[in-house]
Amino acid sequence: MKRKLTTNSRLVNELFANYVSTFSAFCELINNSIQAKAKNIWIDLDYTKETEVHPLTVKKISIKDDGIGVHLNDIERKILDIGTANKEGGKGIGRFAAFQIGKTIQIETVGYDDEEKTFSKVSIPLKFEYFGKNINVSEIDIDTKEEILKSKSNTFYEVTITDLYDSVTTESEPKKKIIDKFLRNRIEDS
């Protein structure tokens, strides 16, 4: 299904790369899971193997929680409406912190609708390039995949970040560099 992004009067370019570091942006995504009443948060970092030739130490980051998720009836209001606070004390931009870490994010969620008594699964692909070419974000088509599930399901919310920024980008935009707190031997302490 084709969906549109919407925003209030906040400037979109203030939303991205606004955290002190990529690790701060990563922590914002974890904080979102906590605010969604998650009991468990799973973090998966796909590291480049020592035998592999790859320009990045980390190739992919995934954060999944077992919080309340988002039902397809709330996708526009809770995910695609940029800058509208849905949680107390929130700014409505936390989910876009992922763009400070990588150029492509995939949001996948299962949510429950109390009124309809249904579970739904939604997948939303977002690319940073969408925002560089369009000043009016309401013109951006987001090709979501949505389905009503036939049976009860566990709710969750997952953000997968890929296309992490290379050294060419991070040289001019150092806030997008994967800092040493992400390294395999430091992540647990971080």
Side-chain angles (χ1 to χ4, degrees):
M1 173 180 238
K2 296 279 187 197
R3 297 263 190 176
K4 300 273 189 194
L5 288 167
T6 58
T7 186
N8 60 20
S9 61
R10 295 179 194 218
L11 297 173
V12 172
N13 63 0
E14 289 181 12
L15 302 177
F16 310 134
N18 202 22
Y19 296 89
V20 173
S21 69
T22 49
F23 198 78
S24 295
F26 174 73
C27 290
E28 175 63 28
L29 296 169
I30 294 169
N31 188 51
N32 283 352
S33 293
I34 293 166
Q35 289 177 339
K37 301 178 175 120
K39 291 185 176 117
N40 297 288
I41 302 170
W42 297 273
I43 299 167
D44 182 34
L45 286 96
D46 182 9
Y47 291 101
T48 301
K49 295 177 182 137
E50 289 181 21
T51 58
E52 189 177 359
V53 177
H54 196 280
L56 302 171
T57 304
V58 179
K59 296 187 282 186
K60 178 175 80 171
I61 297 173
S62 177
I63 301 161
K64 182 177 181 178
D65 68 55
D66 61 358
I68 57 174
V70 180
H71 191 274
L72 67 84
N73 292 342
D74 291 325
I75 291 299
E76 288 175 345
R77 184 174 62 86
K78 290 187 174 180
I79 296 179
L80 298 178
D81 192 2
I82 301 169
T84 300
N86 292 303
K87 296 177 235 158
E88 189 174 323
K91 298 177 184 175
I93 60 172
R95 62 203 166 276
F96 296 101
F99 280 130
Q100 185 163 337
I101 301 167
K103 296 178 253 181
T104 303
I105 64 175
Q106 180 77 28
I107 298 172
E108 189 168 287
T109 184
V110 169
Y112 180 72
D113 186 302
D114 275 330
E115 289 179 23
E116 290 188 8
K117 307 288 187 223
T118 60
F119 287 88
S120 71
K121 183 175 183 179
V122 179
S123 181
I124 305 167
L126 297 169
K127 291 185 177 280
F128 185 73
E129 68 188 45
Y130 296 166
F131 304 96
K133 296 177 183 174
N134 298 287
I135 293 173
N136 184 356
V137 295
S138 64
E139 294 176 4
I140 301 169
D141 282 324
I142 306 297
D143 196 14
T144 63
K145 291 184 175 86
E146 306 172 9
E147 65 177 302
I148 296 289
L149 301 175
K150 296 182 186 331
S151 60
K152 183 178 178 180
S153 185
N154 293 329
T155 59
F156 72 86
Y157 189 92
E158 181 175 21
V159 177
T160 302
I161 308 162
T162 55
D163 297 326
L164 280 63
Y165 298 101
D166 59 24
S167 60
V168 173
T169 301
T170 60
E171 192 171 303
S172 62
E173 298 178 68
K175 287 183 175 184
K176 292 182 175 180
K177 183 176 182 173
I178 294 296
I179 63 173
D180 61 349
K181 287 184 177 188
F182 284 101
L183 296 177
R184 191 184 311 258
N185 60 347
R186 303 229 17 222
I187 190 70
E188 192 171 315
D189 291 336
S190 299

